[in-house]
Amino acid sequence: MLEVHLERRTTMTLDFNADEPVVGLARQRELIRAVLGASSADETRWLEWKSQHDVSKSAGAFAVSKAILGFANRMPDVAEQWAGGHAYLLVGVDEEAIHGVPPHDVEKVDGWLGRYLGDFSRYGFTYVPMDTDAGRRHVMLVDISPPRWGDLIHPLHKEYENFRPGAIFHRYAGKTEPARPAEIYALTERARRATKRVNVEVTMTSGAVAVLAPTDVARKRITNSLRESLLDQLETAAERRKAAASSPFAGLQLHVLVPDSRTPEQFRQEVDEYLRDFDLAMQQTMAQRVAEATRPLTLKLTNPGEDNLTQVQVVLSLPDTISAHVTDEVEEEIDWPTQPPKYGEGSTLPGIAGYARGMLGVQPSYQLPFPDSTDIEQQDGHTIIRFAPVDLRPHEKVTLDPITLYSSQDADPFISEWRATATNVSSKTQGSLPIPAQRLELDLRAVLRPLFGVGDASAGEDGDGSER
């Protein structure tokens, strides 16, 4: 049973991770417990707590409504810094104790609050049960949804004491107060953005999807051949140890002062990591050859309107049969991974093996960067390309990063879908682009043979990926 002691605690900063929204009973209780260890100075732009209010009474309904309106009248770019833009009001808890509140029916609470909130309904609430030394008590947790660009100003709808209908509340750091002129101007701008649209054009200036024979079978046979060769070292090492143990000079082997400390399982893991990186390097090599033989996709982004657009991002969606690579990254020199040190041989002195590899220019450890940019991913059956956001002045044109595309499945043309958003407007625009196909004859063995000579010895298949 969750025990929450009611004695006064030493005040401290709020101990709660606000990187994500508060979802689920465990996180709700964690937030409530964090308030017990905090101070009143820790109330923020996303969190407020009240020791006691009954929303069935006018004073309680107004206090809760005022807090909701204050959170709703925040700016989206400010709100998004915490809890995914959400804000939370806790009623029935403070820094000293869990006091609890009387739970009420949802429809009744909505009616009591609605007198002050009007049509605003982008909030939800629940009563969180907390087991304390004094018994079970309920804390009211109100979740106010993130504000959005284009939202209207949310005013008070019913008079309460000195506050008349139309009063505008805003959440400042640690308090909810009537909005000042600067905040009212900002909220007016927030509402005005509902009328502004993302007015951009996305056009293709050049490019094609290279269509080539599948390489999956060839790559698999190459990596399987390398795996078999490397894992043979385990059997060789075992035979060597067996022979050494039966030698009359077994105790006099002084030339290996540092034996191989890896277990067979650790060596197998090294082999798996090496082959994974080797396969990625093969893919990147093919991408280089495609980039040399075809035209990369180049898109132009245009702002035909009179408004400045900030951080415009174009997202391109392609069929998942298409592989995509940022062309500038493809052109970088490929640093092929180094094979794991031979199993079972050890080294002559501590550190000598690593020092020797350094003298020879061979890296003792290797991490191959993925050939796909971090802006390219497979998602829900599509290849998604997220171009870097750019600022656009009126009538400005910007060329986006060129992308190398290839596929083992044919289409003419390949149909892509794009959408564009900006941070200073609330809407998005979208469209489609047909991308022509360009058929290429590329043999994986022919590509790799000049580099390693593994094509003839290990691939074992014709250029189309079929077995000979």
Side-chain angles (χ1 to χ4, degrees):
M1 178 179 291
L2 177 68
E3 295 291 341
V4 179
H5 298 282
L6 301 182
E7 66 268 15
R8 186 179 183 88
R9 300 185 177 199
T10 302
T11 57
M12 56 182 291
T13 57
L14 185 75
D15 184 16
F16 186 79
N17 182 357
D19 291 341
E20 300 291 339
V22 180
V23 178
L25 180 59
R27 282 270 287 169
Q28 292 168 350
R29 285 175 166 169
E30 182 185 353
L31 179 59
I32 293 169
R33 290 195 299 270
V35 170
L36 290 173
S39 71
S40 58
D42 292 321
E43 290 185 294
T44 67
R45 291 182 180 269
W46 67 273
L47 176 64
E48 181 178 358
W49 58 81
K50 298 180 180 297
S51 60
Q52 183 62 258
H53 276 296
D54 185 349
V55 292
S56 67
K57 311 297 183 182
S58 295
F62 170 76
V64 171
S65 298
K66 175 185 174 185
I68 292 174
L69 292 172
F71 285 128
N73 284 329
R74 297 175 300 161
M75 298 300 289
D77 54 346
V78 174
E80 69 183 6
Q81 299 177 58
W82 307 279
H86 289 255
Y88 299 94
L89 170 67
L90 300 174
V91 185
V93 64
D94 59 23
E95 314 87 70
E96 298 184 6
I98 293 177
H99 305 282
V101 294
H104 295 288
D105 181 75
V106 172
E107 291 186 1
K108 290 182 178 179
V109 174
D110 283 339
W112 295 327
L113 301 182
R115 293 177 296 177
Y116 299 98
L117 298 178
D119 294 333
F120 181 75
S121 60
R122 298 189 61 242
Y123 72 94
F125 69 91
T126 187
Y127 291 100
V128 182
M130 302 292 292
D131 292 320
T132 73
D133 291 343
R136 172 161 290 196
R137 294 178 177 177
H138 291 85
V139 174
M140 185 181 188
L141 184 148
V142 186
D143 180 348
I144 299 90
S145 298
R148 304 166 300 191
W149 295 112
D151 282 354
L152 298 176
I153 299 175
H154 303 295
L156 181 69
H157 280 254
K158 177 180 171 60
E159 182 176 358
Y160 181 81
E161 294 184 349
N162 296 328
F163 297 106
R164 296 186 177 184
I168 300 171
F169 297 107
H170 179 75
R171 182 64 184 179
Y172 296 93
K175 55 187 175 182
T176 300
E177 293 184 337
R180 301 163 190 160
E183 280 68 46
I184 294 177
Y185 292 142
L187 289 170
T188 303
E189 173 62 19
R190 184 185 77 173
R192 190 179 73 85
R193 292 190 186 183
T195 63
K196 294 178 65 176
R197 319 300 294 177
V198 180
N199 182 22
V200 297
E201 298 173 355
V202 177
T203 55
M204 187 178 74
T205 59
S206 65
V209 178
V211 179
L212 58 155
T215 63
D216 293 358
V217 174
R219 297 195 339 260
K220 185 174 181 180
R221 289 180 65 87
I222 291 172
T223 55
N224 284 346
S225 177
L226 288 171
R227 184 188 308 276
E228 181 179 351
S229 174
L230 290 168
L231 294 183
D232 281 347
Q233 297 175 23
L234 294 174
E235 184 176 350
T236 300
E239 293 175 353
R240 187 184 302 115
R241 286 195 300 269
K242 183 177 179 181
S246 62
S247 170
F249 304 103
L252 300 178
Q253 295 182 15
L254 302 179
H255 62 286
V256 177
L257 301 181
V258 183
D260 195 334
S261 62
R262 295 172 296 175
T263 65
E265 184 56 37
Q266 288 172 332
F267 179 70
R268 291 189 184 94
Q269 183 177 353
E270 289 183 2
V271 170
D272 288 342
E273 293 173 354
Y274 163 73
L275 294 177
R276 179 200 63 199
D277 290 348
F278 191 91
D279 184 57
L280 290 171
M282 284 194 291
Q283 295 179 53
Q284 194 171 7
T285 300
M286 287 299 297
Q288 281 189 344
R289 297 301 180 268
V290 170
E292 294 169 356
T294 191
R295 298 163 293 160
L297 175 69
T298 305
L299 301 182
K300 181 179 291 183
L301 180 61
T302 304
N303 178 7
E306 302 297 332
D307 292 321
N308 285 301
L309 298 175
T310 60
Q311 294 295 285
V312 180
Q313 184 176 55
V314 175
V315 178
L316 188 68
S317 176
L318 300 160
D320 63 355
T321 56
I322 296 177
S323 296
H325 302 263
V326 178
T327 302
D328 289 344
E329 295 178 0
V330 167
E331 293 174 351
E332 296 176 357
E333 182 179 355
I334 298 175
D335 195 0
W336 288 80
T338 303
Q339 286 190 8
K342 194 169 183 179
Y343 183 76
E345 290 196 346
S347 58
T348 55
L349 284 173
I352 288 294
Y355 177 76
R357 285 196 296 269
M359 291 294 291
L360 293 172
V362 180
Q363 298 295 326
S365 61
Y366 178 82
Q367 182 64 41
L368 179 73
F370 283 82
D372 289 352
S373 164
T374 55
D375 295 326
I376 301 174
E377 64 176 341
Q378 295 288 324
Q379 184 181 61
D380 298 330
H382 296 85
T383 297
I384 305 297
I385 304 173
R386 292 181 175 85
F387 292 92
V390 296
D391 294 336
L392 284 176
R393 296 184 178 89
H395 305 290
E396 185 178 12
K397 298 180 180 180
V398 174
T399 299
L400 302 179
D401 290 336
I403 304 294
T404 297
L405 305 174
Y406 62 96
S407 175
S408 59
Q409 296 189 19
D410 203 351
D412 197 5
F414 291 87
I415 302 300
S416 66
E417 304 290 336
W418 63 267
R419 66 180 185 274
T421 57
T423 59
N424 66 330
V425 290
S426 59
S427 65
K428 67 179 180 181
T429 187
Q430 57 191 21
S432 60
L433 283 175
I435 305 176
Q438 182 179 356
R439 290 156 189 84
L440 298 181
E441 297 295 333
L442 285 180
D443 184 341
L444 180 61
R445 295 176 302 158
V447 170
L448 295 178
R449 189 180 299 118
L451 299 172
F452 291 95
V454 296
D456 289 328
S458 303
E461 72 284 327
D462 293 327
D464 60 0
S466 61
E467 297 185 19
R468 287 191 299 217

